[in-house]
Every structure is written in C-alpha cells, then in structure tokens.
C-alpha cells in the first residue's frame, strides 16, 4: 500500500507541476510577446494619459486592446491583477517531486556508484547547494552588470550553467544530473519572480499610492529578469521530458549533450522573440539564431546516432542460438525482472517502470530495441541496483547487436 500511495503522490504532483508550469510559461510567453508588440498610441487622449504603447488583438470571438503605461496611470485601478502564483506553485510542486523521487529514492534515481559513490545525505546536501548557489551566482552577475552589457552577462550566465551541467554529470546519474540542472534553472527563474520582479512591482504600486516619483530602475530590472526567464524556458522544458529518453542523459558525454540542447533551446527562443518584435513592426527577422539552434540540434542527433556493428549470427547454428538466448534470459531474469514484471518484487516499485515487461521470451523480444539503448547508455538497471556486471551487460548487448536471435 505504501508503494501504491507513493505512485499517487507522484502522479498528482506531476499533474500539478504540469498544469501550473503551463500557466506560468504561457503567461511569460504572452507578456514577452506583448511587450515586443506594442506600438505608439495614435489617439491623443492615450498619449496624454501616459500610455507608452498599445496593441490590438482578436481572440475567442472578441477584440482586445492592451495598453502599457510609461510609468503608471493617474489613478491605480481596482482590482489590479498580479502574476506570481503560477511561478510559485510550479516551483513548489517541482521541489515536492524532487524530494519525493530524487531525494527520497536517491539510491535509485540520483546516485550512480559508477559515476561517484556518494552517500544519500551527501548527495542531497550537494544538490541543495547547487540550487541555492546557482541563484546566488546568477544574481550577483545580474546586479554587477546591470545596464552595462547584456551580451557579456548572457555569456557569463551561459558559462556558469555550462560548468553546472558538467559538474552535475560528474557527481550524479545522468537522469539525476539532468533533473537537477533543470531544477537549478527553475530555481533561478522563480527567484527572479520572488526577489526581483514582484518586489519591484510592489514598490512601484506603493510609490504611486503614496504620491512619490516612480523609480524606473524597478521596471528595468523586472524586464531584464523576465526576458532571461523566457530564454531559460526551452532548456527547462527539455530537461522535464529528458528522463523519457535515455539516449540523451545516458550518453557518454551526457554533459555536453545537455549543454548543446540548452544552447539550441535558448537560440530558438531568441529567434521567436525577435520574430515577434520584427513582425509587429513590419521588419524582417534574422534567421541566424534559428539556424544556429537547428544546427546544434542536428549535431547532437548525428553524434548520438547508433553505430552499426558486424553480426556474427551466420556462424552460429540454431542449437547455439537457443543456448545463447537461454543465457541472456537468465541474466535478464536475475537483473531486470525484479522491476520489469507484472508485480515487481523490488522495493519502491508497485508497477513495472513505463509498463515494460521482461518476464517472458515474447516480452524480451518485443523490447529488444529499447533494451539496447538502455543497456548501451548504462541507465539500466537503474542505479545498477541489481548489480549487473560488465560481462553480463556485454553478453546481452552482443546478443542484441546480432539481431536478438532466439
């Protein structure tokens, strides 16, 4: 029953995380688009009222007119809508999942003795240090370089995240390292909202209510962090789905794959932002950010392509094939079926992971292609909990490379 309720906690946590993440990312994308789409108002009364830009849109059978004031309207309207619960709930639900899965079952999802033999408390402490440290380093860079050089700041932030990606992959399992990397970026994003964007907005509202002049620095800082958040979004979304694709986090140079996918995602997002800005003003968008992102993606795909081997099956007779399959099945039964069975016997699993069954010859053959990826990348058995030896792994892989003869 504990495993059953654990699965429900994981399911509901993921569902909440997905729902609030969609709400947060949707709001972020919309307001970045809105800010880049504003045009100078044509009506004199709007200019006199302090409106700096407006945009007309049609959606859902209605017309909308969004306006942005240079500072603030003459009178603060009621109610005034804020956008922060999406960010906070996304992070809280994500941290709940991190604690439930990657900290609560660190020996399964986070620690890989083949990478580094960490104790559970040490592994969790280092992970938390990365979450806090990532934000602190990023915030210091932003404050030091504020209104100096966004390009230099972008390069430095990219370098810091690249080092974090490399370091995490030297400490944890590939799957755990990828999720922690996403958690580091997600923490930076929500900290931008909590420590910079919302406090700045509250100060602007207070200043207006008290009749004090509005300090434009709050708006400038908020916009800077908001733009950074939109560029972080695609790398974070990649990390969120990466645990379904062992060919990425299980690659030999998995840290380089992680960096490349982050660069590709950020470059593609930059192109979308530039495209919206140019489209509204009737201009052209430089294709180079998009081209760069697609080239990096193509490079990753090419680098991770499986290498074909030479089959030796022609030299084996049917009896040898049957004997060989029996040996392979024995290894799978000992090392894999404890989890990949209709009723797993390994603690912490109430159902076979991803519904994959390896308890019969038919199930083994049906999953041969997926098994080759999982074994080649060494992500299975997960955390090598069942102590599969290198010799056993190579025996199964050699059988798979020969076409999985039975």
């Amino acid at each position: 029953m504990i495993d059953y309720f654990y699965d429900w906690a994981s399911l509901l946590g993921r569902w909440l995380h997905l729902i609030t993440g969609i709400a947060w990312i949707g709001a972020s994308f919309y307001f970045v688009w809105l800010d880049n789409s504003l045009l100078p108002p044509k009506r004199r009364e709007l200019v006199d009222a302090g409106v700096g830009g407006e945009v007309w849109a049609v959606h859902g059978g209605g017309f909308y007119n969004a306006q942005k004031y240079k500072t603030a309207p003459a009178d603060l309207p009621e109610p005034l809508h804020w956008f922060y619960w999406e960010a906070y709930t996304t992070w809280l639900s994500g941290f709940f999942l991190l604690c439930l899965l990657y900290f609560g079952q660190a020996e399964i999802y986070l620690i890989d003795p083949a990478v580094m033999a960490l104790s559970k408390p040490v592994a969790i402490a280092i992970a938390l240090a990365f979450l806090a440290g990532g934000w602190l380093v990023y915030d210091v860079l932003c404050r030091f370089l504020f209104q100096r050089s966004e390009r230099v700041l972008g390069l430095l932030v990219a370098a810091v995240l690249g080092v974090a990606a490399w370091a995490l992959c030297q400490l944890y399992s590939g799957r755990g390292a990828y999720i922690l990397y996403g958690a580091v970026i997600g923490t930076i994003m929500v900290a931008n909202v909590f420590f910079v964007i919302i406090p700045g907005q509250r100060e602007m509202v207070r200043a207006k209510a008290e009749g004090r002049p509005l300090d434009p620095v709050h708006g400038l800082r908020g916009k800077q962090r908001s733009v950074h958040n939109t560029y972080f979004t695609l790398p974070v979304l990649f990390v969120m789905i990466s645990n379904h694709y062992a060919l990425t986090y299980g690659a030999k140079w998995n840290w380089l794959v992680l960096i490349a996918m982050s660069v590709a995602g950020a470059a593609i997002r930059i192109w979308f932002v530039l495209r919206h800005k140019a489209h509204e003003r009737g201009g052209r968008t430089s294709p180079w950010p998009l081209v760069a992102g697609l080239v990096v993606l193509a490079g990753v795909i090419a680098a991770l392509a499986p290498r074909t081997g030479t089959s030796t099956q022609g030299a084996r007779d049917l009896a040898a094939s049957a004997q060989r399959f029996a040996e392979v099945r024995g290894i799978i039964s000992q090392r894999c079926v404890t989890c990949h069975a209709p009723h797993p016997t390994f603690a912490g699993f109430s159902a076979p992971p991803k519904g994959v069954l390896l308890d019969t010859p038919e199930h083994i053959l049906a999953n041969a292609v997926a098994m080759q990826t999982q074994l080649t990348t060494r992500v299975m058995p997960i955390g090598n909990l069942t102590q599969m030896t290198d010799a056993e792994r190579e025996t199964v892989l050699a059988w798979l490379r020969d076409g999985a003869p039975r």
Side-chain angles (χ1 to χ4, degrees):
M1 289 299 291
I2 292 177
D3 292 338
Y4 174 75
F5 286 115
Y6 182 90
D7 282 348
W8 270 107
S10 176
L11 171 60
L12 296 177
R14 288 176 188 270
W15 198 9
L16 176 62
H17 190 53
L18 181 63
I19 293 169
T20 55
I22 290 172
W24 183 16
I25 293 169
S28 173
F29 278 17
Y30 173 73
F31 277 101
V32 169
W33 169 86
L34 182 63
D35 209 46
N36 289 327
S37 301
L38 295 171
L39 298 174
K42 296 180 179 180
R43 290 175 291 171
R44 186 65 195 178
E45 63 269 22
L46 293 179
V47 176
D48 293 341
V51 175
E54 66 172 342
V55 61
W56 283 88
V58 59
H59 179 74
F63 291 92
Y64 297 81
N65 179 213
Q67 302 169 353
K68 181 179 179 180
Y69 285 78
K70 293 178 181 179
T71 54
D75 299 306
L76 286 177
E78 288 290 344
L80 186 62
H81 294 284
W82 297 73
F83 292 84
Y84 54 80
W85 71 265
E86 304 95 333
Y88 300 163
T89 311
T90 299
W91 188 87
L92 288 171
S93 58
F95 189 71
F96 167 77
L97 289 171
L98 187 67
C99 293
L100 184 71
L101 297 172
Y102 290 87
F103 292 171
Q105 299 189 82
E107 65 281 3
I108 298 176
Y109 297 110
L110 188 61
I111 300 170
D112 184 350
V115 177
M116 184 170 288
L118 298 171
S119 67
K120 193 169 179 177
V122 169
I124 294 172
I126 294 174
L128 292 174
F130 266 94
L131 296 186
W135 157 250
L136 292 174
V137 172
Y138 164 82
D139 187 56
V140 167
L141 289 175
C142 286
R143 292 180 183 276
F144 180 74
L145 292 171
F146 180 63
Q147 290 189 312
R148 294 185 182 183
S149 175
E150 278 297 314
R151 181 170 296 182
V152 172
L153 175 60
L155 291 174
L156 287 175
V157 171
V160 168
L161 292 177
V163 171
W166 173 83
L168 288 168
C169 288
Q170 310 310 307
L171 292 168
Y172 300 109
S173 69
R175 180 173 177 172
Y178 273 40
I179 289 295
L180 282 176
Y181 175 82
V184 168
I185 299 180
T187 298
I188 290 173
M189 292 173 68
V190 78
N192 276 339
V193 176
F194 186 80
F195 291 112
V196 179
I197 297 173
I198 294 300
Q201 291 175 351
R202 293 192 185 282
E203 172 55 29
M204 293 173 69
V205 170
R206 280 195 299 269
K208 181 62 181 177
E210 296 168 3
R212 294 185 283 111
L214 271 65
D215 188 346
V217 72
H218 299 295
L220 293 172
R221 281 200 178 114
K223 183 175 180 180
Q224 178 197 53
R225 303 301 180 97
S226 181
V227 171
H228 289 181
N229 278 4
T230 201
Y231 295 148
F232 287 146
T233 303
L234 266 62
V236 168
L237 289 175
F238 161 71
V239 168
M240 287 176 66
I241 63 173
S242 67
N243 62 342
H244 296 287
Y245 302 96
L247 78 166
T248 58
Y249 67 80
K252 181 179 180 181
W253 302 96
N254 56 359
W255 61 272
L256 197 55
V257 173
L258 180 54
I259 292 173
M261 295 297 289
S262 297
V263 169
I268 292 171
R269 181 61 187 145
I270 288 172
W271 179 79
F272 272 105
V273 171
L274 294 176
R275 180 177 180 274
H276 290 314
K277 186 183 297 185
H279 176 74
E280 295 301 326
R281 289 157 177 77
R284 297 182 60 185
T285 306
S286 171
W288 290 115
L290 177 62
V291 171
L294 295 177
V295 167
V296 172
L297 277 177
V300 173
I301 293 171
L304 297 182
R307 303 295 184 259
T308 57
T310 303
S311 175
T312 60
Q313 179 56 25
R316 303 177 184 275
D317 57 23
L318 293 177
S321 294
Q323 182 179 0
R324 192 180 184 200
F325 180 63
E327 180 184 7
V328 167
R329 189 183 177 192
I331 295 172
I332 293 173
S333 296
Q334 183 179 6
R335 307 301 186 188
C336 308
V337 175
T338 53
C339 296
H340 293 284
H343 302 287
T345 58
F346 201 94
F349 293 91
S350 60
K354 294 185 179 181
V356 175
L357 296 174
L358 300 174
D359 57 328
T360 67
E362 291 74 21
H363 288 153
I364 293 173
L365 295 172
N367 291 285
V369 175
M371 284 175 56
Q372 187 166 357
T373 299
Q374 300 286 341
L375 290 171
T376 301
T377 56
R378 305 185 71 86
V379 301
M380 288 292 167
I382 189 167
N384 203 18
L385 294 174
T386 56
Q387 303 297 309
M388 175 181 275
T389 66
D390 289 342
E392 291 172 336
R393 186 181 300 273
E394 181 53 35
T395 295
V396 179
L397 282 172
W399 173 75
L400 290 167
R401 287 193 294 267
D402 282 345
R406 180 177 176 183

